[in-house]
Each structure stands twice: as structure tokens, then as C-alpha cells.
């Protein structure tokens, strides 16, 4: 076989990988769409699709306008947006640090953003974009602290994770402390900041999350190739022309940014950032970038978790309780496996 | 073929944090030739390769590629001229051979650039010369050590650089695979004029395959030149703290080092 004809074989293999990536992404998009539609139709009562569409078109439909337009729509929109933020930001961290345990919700970044948000909302009675901004700053600060504390001639993954888990535990107890001293003690509110919840969200709260997803998500997507190269080790990536330090900073800023803004809106929906990447990797296989597939898996997790929490279980639970119950066994499994071999993503 | 590239380290110092590993080292890599670096564990061989390929900053002195400081060159531009295969690269879980090798094209692409015919040809050629074409749809993590090493070399080749630095390309390979890799690198050097710098631990293979031999000790060049001049009993003793006999290799005519330990000796 000549090199030229073998080049066609190589090209065919590459195109097959691209096509498979597209197929997976389209399938996940359909799944998100289906979840979104079901969230709009199902609830205490069933709303038929034509009524849902009329509400979405801005018509006044007796009965449905309130349940669909005021209750279900904001909930579904928020679930999709925060799910995508958690999914994409989480997998970017996991890829950058080459460890599935290095997810922002394990190493304290989400806790930091949540603590800032809970302090602003419960103690200072703030709301809106200011809370999101302060959460981003707090999330970044925690990321830097964890990074700094685990720095010793470079950052070893395991050390960073252990430091991160410790920092997360400290911050979580701070959250509990703030909530216990809050004048307007409210179980729903408390659960939001501890496990994450989309209960009672309003449509205008989704705007900052949408902006964060567009800006920070775009930034991450622009680094797709560099992130892929980082999976082969820092030295290999640098030898291939990746500016490792700059890429790290951009990826960290962007992931923390989108996760913190989402956390300020719904609280840290438990383990969605942690689970989405590995689930997407399992579905996709090694066929290309995980950023978009993982974002879509995140949206499915939050939509599905919220539906289960509301209507499938005997009592109503916020979405974070459901995703938390999903994530905990996987966390245990990973810790056992990493103890044995030192896993990577 | 007279290669038009050059790689020179001048008075180069580098290290990690406070510890100085390279200490005012000078090295002129002979263009179009194969250079082998030998030295004891921890003497700074990997550090030298990493500094020469700007993975590590120089604390003093400079590294010049074609007369330009590598530490000041745009990293992507540099990666089109100078390739490095690190001591322990990581294959992403489940990745196929063709996919991994195609990542060698990274420095030839910007944010928006599209994959071209030439990219596919470079990948195909890299797979063919390393005899990994038949493996191209296999997962890298299910290959043997020798196959995997050839795949990594293919990735570095797909990068299409004039210079290639390799950190211990033969470690973990059995003797026949070691020879296979070294023959492959020699072929590439002869057919394409690629300048090769590699760290080797097997002194005899280093002496046999290198045009130029570099012996390092304590972050400096202890000896540099023809294998015949560098691989002497005195140099082996200072660099490795090991007594030895050096005789002509009946196969290649190059120096052959016979280490002298404390046991199993006869007729000395
Ligand atoms: N990332 C690092 N941080 C701190 N010190 C390091 C680092 N990498 C290497 N060193 C130290 O630098 C010194 C030289 O290491 P280097 O890896 O260059 O040695 P080497 O000659 O390649 O050894 P080997 O033959 O074992 O590969 C060693 O003392 C090592 O401990
Ligand atoms: Mg080394």
C-alpha cells in the first residue's frame, strides 16, 4: 500500500471518529430536549403539548399559563443551564488535572461559591448579579488556596484532591454555621445551599447563568485542542506547542466562573460536575472532546434528577438530594480504585 | 544532505525551585547526526532535554535554535521545528493509535484551521515508517511496550520537525525491540536528515548507534565527542563510579563496555 492510499484510510478513520462524536452529541441533545419537554408537560397535572406550545408562544391559556409559564418553564430552563455549566466546568477540571476526583465539587470550589452565595443571600439579603459575582470571586479564591496549599515542586493530583476535600469540609461547616444563625431559617433555603435545588426559581435568575455559559463556555471551547493535548501529560503537551501555564489559567478561570455563577443560582447541585464527565466519557469513548457531551449529560442529570425528586420518590426532594445519591457510590468506587492504581480520565 | 538547522546550549543553568541541576553547561548538537546522552540516574539528562525544548526555564545562559532563543520563541512555532518525546508520556484511556499519532499535528493547527490532506499524509507516513500502520485502529493501552514506544515515536514524527529529542526511547523494551527502535531512528536520520538527540541507559547501544556521545555528570558535560574518545574506562569510572574494561565491539567496531563488579570475575 502506498502512503497516499493509506492516507485515505487514515482520513476515513478520522472522519468516522468525527461522525461518531456528532451522533453522540445529537443523541444527547435530543435527550435534553425530551427532558425539557417532559418537565413542561408533567407535574401534579398533565398539560398536553399543544397547550404548552401555546403558553410558550405567549398566549394566555387558562390554568396552563401559570403552571407551565411561571412554575415549570423557569425550572426547566434553569435545570438545563446549570446542568450544562456544571457538566462542562467539571469535566474541564478533570481533564486539566487528569483525575476524575479533581472535580470542582469535590475539591471545594463549589463549596466556596456556595458559601459566598449563602452569606450574601441569608446574612446580607443581597440578590441578583452581585451574588453571582461574589460567588465567582470566592470560587476562584478557593481554587487558588487549594492549588497553593498543594504546591510543592508542581502540583501532584492526589495531594491537591486531599487538600481540596479538607478545604471543602471546612467550608461546608461554615455554610451550616451561617444557615443555623440565619434569622429566616428555612429548610428549603438551607437545602438549596447544601445540596442544590431548582425549587422556586424565576426566569430572570437564569440570565446570569446563560451569560456565564456563553462567555466561559466559549472560552473553554476555544481551548478544546489544548485541553485534549494536556491529557497526554504536561511535557508532551508543551512539546506539541501548548502553552501549558496559560491554558491552565484560562481553563481554571472559565470553569470556576461558570460553576460559581450556576452555584449562585441553584446552589451546588451535588455531584453533577463530578459525574457528567465520566458518564460522557463512558458514552462517547475516546472519540474526541468531552466538553460538549459532558455539558449535555449535566443538563440531563439535573433535569432527570429534579423530575425524580419531585414526582417519583414518595416525598419531594430537591434535585441535589437525588444527584447526590447517584454520585456517592461512584465517589466511593473511584476512591477505592485510585487507592489501588491512581486513575485518570 | 546538509541540514540547515542548529541547536546550541550556551552556559546553560536550570533547576527546580532552589536546587540547581544544570550548571553552566555548553552543548552544540551536531546537525544531521545522532547524539546519545549517557549518565547516572539523576545527573540531569531529562532536565537537559526539558530545558533545551523550553519545557523548563533557563536560570542562566540560553538555548539557541537556528540562532534564536528557544525560551523567547512562540511555542507553537518552536514545536514545528523541535520535537520532544518525554520520558513518560500518558496515553488517554482507550485512545486509538491513529488518533494519538494525529495529535502530533497539533502545532500545525491554529484555533480555526482545518485538517488538510497534508495532515493525513503526515500521519499515514509516520504510521508506516514506524510499522504501526496495521495497529492504527487498535487502542494504545492494549499494545505491547515495544509497539507503544513505536506509536509515540510515530506521534513525534507526525509533528514533522527537523530535530527530535527523545528521553529514554528504549526503556522497558526487550533487546530486539530496543534494536528495532534504534534502527528506526537511524533510518529516519539517514533518509530525512532528522537530527536526533536521545538519552540512553545502555552504554553499548549508545556507543554503537551514536555519531556523537555525551557523558553527563552532576549537571555538566563530562565528555563529548566520538564514541571511541568518550567511552573510555576512565570516563566510565568517573561518570558511573564503576570500574570496567572497554574493548572493541566485534560486531560494530565501536567501544564495548564490560562492567567490573565485585563478583563473578575471572582472569583479571
Ligand atoms: N519536577 C521535579 N521537581 C524537583 N526536582 C526534580 C524534578 N525532576 C527532576 N528533579 C531532580 O533533578 C535531578 C535530575 O533529574 P533528571 O530527571 O534530569 O535526571 P536524569 O538524569 O534524567 O535521571 P534518570 O536517568 O533517572 O531519568 C534529580 O535529582 C531529580 O530528583
Ligand atoms: Mg531522565
Amino acid at each position: 500500500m502506498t502512503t497516499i492510499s493509506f492516507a485515505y484510510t487514515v482520513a476515513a478513520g478520522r472522519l468516522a471518529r468525527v461522525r461518531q462524536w456528532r451522533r453522540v452529541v445529537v443523541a444527547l441533545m435530543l435527550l435534553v430536549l425530551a427532558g425539557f419537554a417532559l418537565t413542561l408537560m408533567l407535574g401534579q397535572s398533565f398539560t398536553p403539548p399543544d397547550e404548552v406550545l401555546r403558553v410558550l408562544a405567549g398566549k394566555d391559556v387558562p390554568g396552563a399559563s401559570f403552571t407551565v409559564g411561571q412554575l415549570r418553564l423557569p425550572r426547566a430552563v434553569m435545570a438545563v443551564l446549570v446542568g450544562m455549566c456544571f457538566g462542562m466546568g467539571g469535566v474541564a477540571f478533570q481533564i486539566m488535572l487528569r483525575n476524575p476526583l479533581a472535580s470542582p465539587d469535590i475539591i471545594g470550589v463549589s463549596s466556596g461559591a456556595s458559601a459566598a452565595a449563602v452569606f450574601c443571600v441569608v446574612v446580607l439579603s443581597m440578590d441578583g448579579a452581585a451574588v453571582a459575582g461574589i460567588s465567582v470571586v470566592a470560587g476562584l479564591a478557593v481554587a487558588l488556596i487549594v492549588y497553593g496549599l498543594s504546591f510543592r515542586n508542581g502540583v501532584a493530583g492526589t495531594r491537591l484532591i486531599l487538600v481540596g476535600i479538607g478545604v471543602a469540609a471546612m467550608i461546608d461547616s461554615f455554610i451550616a454555621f451561617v444557615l443555623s444563625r440565619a434569622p429566616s431559617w428555612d429548610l428549603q433555603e438551607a437545602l438549596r445551599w447544601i445540596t442544590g435545588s431548582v425549587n422556586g426559581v424565576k426566569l430572570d435568575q437564569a440570565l446570569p447563568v446563560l451569560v456565564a455559559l456563553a462567555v466561559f463556555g466559549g472560552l473553554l471551547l476555544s481551548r478544546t485542542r489544548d485541553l485534549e493535548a494536556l491529557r497526554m501529560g504536561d511535557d508532551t503537551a508543551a512539546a506539541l506547542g501548548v502553552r501549558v501555564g496559560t491554558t491552565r489559567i484560562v481553563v481554571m478561570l472559565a470553569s470556576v466562573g461558570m460553576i460559581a455563577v450556576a452555584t449562585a443560582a441553584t446552589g451546588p447541585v451535588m455531584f453533577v460536575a463530578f459525574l457528567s464527565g465520566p458518564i460522557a466519557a463512558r458514552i462517547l469513548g475516546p472519540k474526541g472532546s468531552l466538553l460538549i457531551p459532558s455539558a449535555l449529560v449535566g443538563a440531563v442529570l439535573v433535569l432527570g434528577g429534579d423530575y425524580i425528586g419531585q414526582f417519583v420518590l414518595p416525598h419531594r426532594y430537591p434535585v441535589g438530594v437525588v444527584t447526590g445519591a447517584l454520585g456517592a457510590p461512584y465517589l466511593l468506587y473511584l476512591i477505592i480504585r485510585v487507592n489501588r492504581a491512581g486513575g485518570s480520565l | 544532505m546538509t541540514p540547515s538547522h542548529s541547536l546550541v546550549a550556551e552556559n546553560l543553568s536550570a533547576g527546580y525551585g532552589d536546587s540547581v541541576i544544570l550548571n553552566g553547561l555548553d552543548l552544540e548538537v551536531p546537525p544531521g547526526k545522532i547524539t546519545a546522552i549517557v549518565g547516572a540516574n539523576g545527573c540531569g539528562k531529562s532536565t537537559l532535554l526539558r530545558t533545551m525544548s523550553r519545557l523548563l526555564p533557563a536560570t542562566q545562559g540560553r538555548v539557541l535554535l537556528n540562532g534564536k532563543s528557544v525560551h523567547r520563541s512562540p511555542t507553537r512555532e518552536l514545536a514545528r521545528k523541535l520535537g520532544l518525546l518525554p520520558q513518560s508520556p500518558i496515553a488517554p484511556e482507550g485512545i486509538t493509535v491513529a488518533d494519538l499519532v494525529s495529535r502530533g499535528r497539533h502545532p500545525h493547527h491554529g484555533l480555526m484551521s482545518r485538517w488538510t490532506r497534508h495532515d493525513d499524509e503526515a500521519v499515514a507516513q509516520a504510521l508506516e515508517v514506524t510499522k504501526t500502520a496495521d495497529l492504527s485502529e487498535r487502542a494504545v493501552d492494549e499494545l505491547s511496550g515495544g509497539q507503544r514506544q513505536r506509536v509515540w515515536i510515530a506521534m513525534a514524527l507526525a509533528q514533522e520537525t527537523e530535530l527530535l529529542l527523545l528521553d529514554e526511547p528504549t526503556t522497558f523494551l526487550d533487546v530486539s525491540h530496543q534494536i528495532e527502535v534504534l534502527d528506526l531512528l537511524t533510518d529516519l536520520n539517514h533518509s530525512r536528515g532528522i537530527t536526533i538527540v536521545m538519552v540512553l541507559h545502555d552504554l553499548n547501544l549508545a556507543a554503537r548507534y551514536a555519531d556523537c556521545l555525551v557523558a553527563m555528570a552532576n549537571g555538566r558535560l563530562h565528555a563529548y565527542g566520538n564514541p571511541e574518545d568518550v567511552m573510555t574506562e576512565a570516563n566510565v569510572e568517573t561518570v558511573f563510579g564503576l570500574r570496567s574494561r572497554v574493548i572493541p565491539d566485534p560486531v560494530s567496531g565501536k567501544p564495548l563496555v564490560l562492567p567490573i563488579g565485585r563478583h563473578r570475575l575471572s582472569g583479571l
Side-chain angles (χ1 to χ4, degrees):
Chain A
M1 195 162 37
T2 65
T3 300
I4 298 295
S5 75
F6 183 50
Y8 283 108
T9 317
V10 168
R14 176 171 54 76
L15 289 175
R17 284 196 297 277
V18 172
R19 271 197 297 273
Q20 176 153 9
W21 185 88
R22 283 198 193 129
R23 268 200 296 276
V24 168
V25 167
V26 168
L28 285 172
M29 279 175 168
L30 290 177
L31 207 57
V32 172
L33 202 66
F36 188 83
L38 285 178
T39 307
L40 293 185
M41 291 188 297
L42 303 176
Q44 299 294 61
S45 61
F46 174 77
T47 313
D50 58 312
E51 280 187 28
V52 169
L53 285 175
R54 273 192 291 149
V55 174
L56 291 184
K59 304 239 168 55
D60 194 31
V61 186
S65 274
F66 180 73
T67 41
V68 175
Q70 301 297 310
L71 295 181
R72 294 180 195 160
L73 183 65
R75 195 177 191 112
V77 168
M78 190 62 112
V80 169
L81 289 177
V82 298
M84 291 183 77
C85 284
F86 288 131
M88 194 187 275
V91 78
F93 250 77
Q94 291 168 323
I95 291 174
M96 176 175 76
L97 297 169
R98 286 187 292 278
N99 194 321
L101 282 171
S103 140
D105 44 358
I106 307 279
I107 61 170
V109 173
S110 306
S111 299
S114 185
V118 80
F119 190 78
C120 289
V121 171
V122 174
V123 178
L124 305 178
S125 312
M126 294 163 61
D127 59 8
V131 178
I134 293 172
S135 291
V136 172
V137 173
L140 278 176
V142 172
L144 287 178
I145 289 170
V146 170
Y147 201 81
L149 284 178
S150 48
F151 196 90
R152 202 184 302 147
N153 278 320
V155 168
T158 328
R159 197 161 54 222
L160 183 132
I161 290 157
L162 289 177
V163 169
I165 290 175
V167 169
M170 267 162 38
I171 299 174
D172 287 345
S173 64
F174 170 79
I175 294 175
F177 172 76
V178 170
L179 287 171
S180 70
R181 305 284 300 252
S184 57
W185 170 261
D186 167 355
L187 189 63
Q188 284 296 325
E189 191 67 0
L191 275 177
R192 173 196 309 278
W193 299 113
I194 294 169
T195 71
S197 156
V198 288
N199 289 341
V201 294
K202 308 261 179 336
L203 208 49
D204 57 358
Q205 290 174 302
L207 189 64
V209 187
L210 180 65
V211 172
L213 183 62
V215 173
F216 296 126
L219 206 54
L220 277 184
L221 289 177
S222 76
R223 292 277 163 172
T224 303
R225 279 188 189 151
D226 291 345
L227 257 181
E228 280 296 298
L230 271 183
R231 297 173 77 177
M232 298 185 287
D234 291 358
D235 278 5
T236 314
L240 288 174
V242 175
R243 293 211 303 266
V244 174
T246 321
T247 304
R248 276 246 162 85
I249 292 171
V250 170
V251 169
M252 190 154 106
L253 259 173
S255 332
V256 172
M258 63 205 290
I259 282 180
V261 173
T263 303
T266 63
V269 183
M270 291 259 281
F271 291 149
V272 172
F274 167 62
L275 283 174
S276 301
I279 293 176
R282 191 53 60 86
I283 298 173
L284 179 67
K287 293 285 189 312
S289 168
L290 285 173
L291 290 177
I292 291 176
S294 177
L296 294 170
V297 168
V300 172
L301 282 178
V302 178
L303 278 171
D306 187 41
Y307 184 78
I308 294 174
Q310 279 204 89
F311 303 116
V312 177
L313 299 175
H315 296 281
R316 290 189 155 209
Y317 299 98
V319 51
V321 171
V322 178
T323 53
L326 275 176
Y330 181 63
L331 179 62
L332 275 178
Y333 160 78
L334 268 190
I335 289 173
I336 293 166
R337 199 185 71 157
V338 167
N339 252 349
R340 285 207 208 104
S344 72
L345 191 74
Chain B
M1 198 175 343
T2 43
S4 57
H5 51 261
S6 70
L7 183 63
V8 181
E10 288 178 359
N11 188 28
L12 187 64
S13 298
Y16 304 92
D18 291 335
S19 64
V20 179
I21 308 294
L22 300 181
N23 205 342
L25 176 149
D26 288 289
L27 172 66
E28 197 165 323
V29 173
K33 297 262 178 343
I34 298 180
T35 302
I37 302 175
V38 298
N41 287 135
C43 74
K45 302 179 297 294
S46 298
T47 307
L48 175 60
L49 289 198
R50 298 182 73 228
T51 315
M52 293 219 293
S53 51
R54 61 77 185 83
L55 269 51
L56 205 61
T59 51
Q60 184 197 309
R62 53 188 189 162
V63 179
L64 300 176
L65 175 69
N66 304 333
K68 263 177 75 180
S69 162
V70 300
H71 290 96
R72 302 233 181 93
S73 305
T75 174
R76 196 181 290 274
E77 187 187 309
L78 191 72
R80 287 187 218 128
K81 298 183 184 132
L82 177 67
L84 168 78
L85 194 54
Q87 194 165 347
S88 38
I90 304 162
E93 220 170 291
I95 192 172
T96 61
V97 170
D99 195 359
L100 186 83
V101 173
S102 70
R103 290 168 188 229
R105 301 299 299 162
H106 187 276
H108 298 272
H109 287 278
L111 182 57
M112 288 300 166
S113 68
R114 297 187 64 88
W115 203 261
T116 64
R117 274 285 302 282
H118 180 73
D119 291 315
D120 285 323
E121 278 164 23
V123 172
Q125 211 173 45
L127 288 165
E128 279 184 335
V129 287
T130 53
K131 301 204 179 66
T132 49
D134 293 339
L135 308 173
S136 62
E137 288 308 315
R138 294 264 302 274
V140 174
D141 34 25
E142 51 187 47
L143 300 181
S144 77
Q147 292 170 326
R148 203 173 306 159
Q149 197 59 34
R150 279 184 287 147
V151 170
W152 282 111
I153 292 173
M155 186 196 78
L157 286 181
Q159 207 174 331
E160 294 190 309
T161 56
E162 303 160 333
L163 289 111
L164 190 52
L165 315 184
L166 303 108
D167 200 346
E168 304 195 13
T170 57
T171 308
F172 304 126
L173 302 187
D174 69 33
V175 62
S176 75
H177 286 108
Q178 290 185 35
I179 297 289
E180 197 174 282
V181 165
L182 292 171
D183 277 342
L184 165 65
L185 293 173
T186 310
D187 286 340
L188 292 167
N189 168 258
H190 288 171
S191 64
R192 302 193 191 178
I194 299 179
T195 301
I196 288 174
V197 181
M198 58 187 172
V199 173
L200 289 181
H201 274 302
D202 187 312
L203 298 184
N204 297 325
L205 291 180
R208 183 183 295 185
Y209 278 89
D211 301 306
C212 172
L213 199 58
V214 174
M216 277 185 77
N218 299 320
R220 289 171 187 275
L221 294 201
H222 178 72
Y224 168 98
N226 289 326
E228 289 80 0
D229 301 332
V230 173
M231 203 59 87
T232 62
E233 289 167 10
N235 279 341
V236 172
E237 172 120 33
T238 26
V239 170
F240 292 97
L242 179 72
R243 287 201 304 136
S244 65
R245 283 279 304 279
V246 175
I247 59 170
D249 179 346
V251 174
S252 64
K254 301 277 180 172
L256 183 70
V257 180
L258 305 170
I260 302 175
R262 289 186 295 111
H263 295 293
R264 308 270 173 185
L265 304 172
S266 71
L268 273 174

